[in-house]
Amino acid sequence: MNIHLQLKRCYEMAYCVATFHSYYTALRFEKSLKFFGIAVRLVPVPRKISSSCGVSAKFPVELKEKVISLAANQNLEYDKIYILDE
């Protein structure tokens, strides 16, 4: 198998999740990021990590820095952002 294909598959399997202290902040986070064209969706918090409200926002790992920047500029609250593998 081509090394570039392997790296691409490996990269596609990683993703980020943001955790929140409340369901309301998760909804606000999702709505704001979608407004700015970020592919994000709310999902249950993966078993590997824990969260107060049980909901996390899943988005592509390559957008992590953009999401952090938008969250800061839009005053969006989140607990932590994790990078996970499928």
Side-chain angles (χ1 to χ4, degrees):
M1 181 177 279
N2 183 319
I3 187 70
H4 296 292
L5 184 58
Q6 288 176 345
L7 288 173
K8 184 178 178 186
R9 284 187 180 167
C10 179
Y11 184 70
E12 289 174 347
M13 291 176 24
Y15 61 94
C16 287
V17 291
T19 57
F20 306 93
H21 291 292
S22 74
Y23 187 70
Y24 171 77
T25 56
L27 287 174
R28 185 170 178 263
F29 187 90
E30 179 194 36
K31 182 178 179 179
S32 296
L33 292 184
K34 283 185 175 181
F35 177 80
F36 287 101
I38 303 291
V40 60
R41 65 186 172 109
L42 296 183
V43 297
V45 174
R47 292 180 187 254
K48 299 176 188 177
I49 55 179
S50 64
S51 170
S52 297
C53 75
V55 175
S56 64
K58 182 178 180 179
F59 56 91
V61 70
E62 63 269 16
L63 298 177
K64 180 182 177 194
E65 295 306 317
K66 185 173 183 179
V67 167
I68 291 171
S69 176
L70 279 171
N73 291 335
Q74 298 298 313
N75 295 318
L76 301 174
E77 297 177 30
Y78 62 90
D79 183 31
K80 293 181 184 175
I81 293 179
Y82 299 86
I83 298 175
L84 302 173
D85 294 327
E86 276 302 336

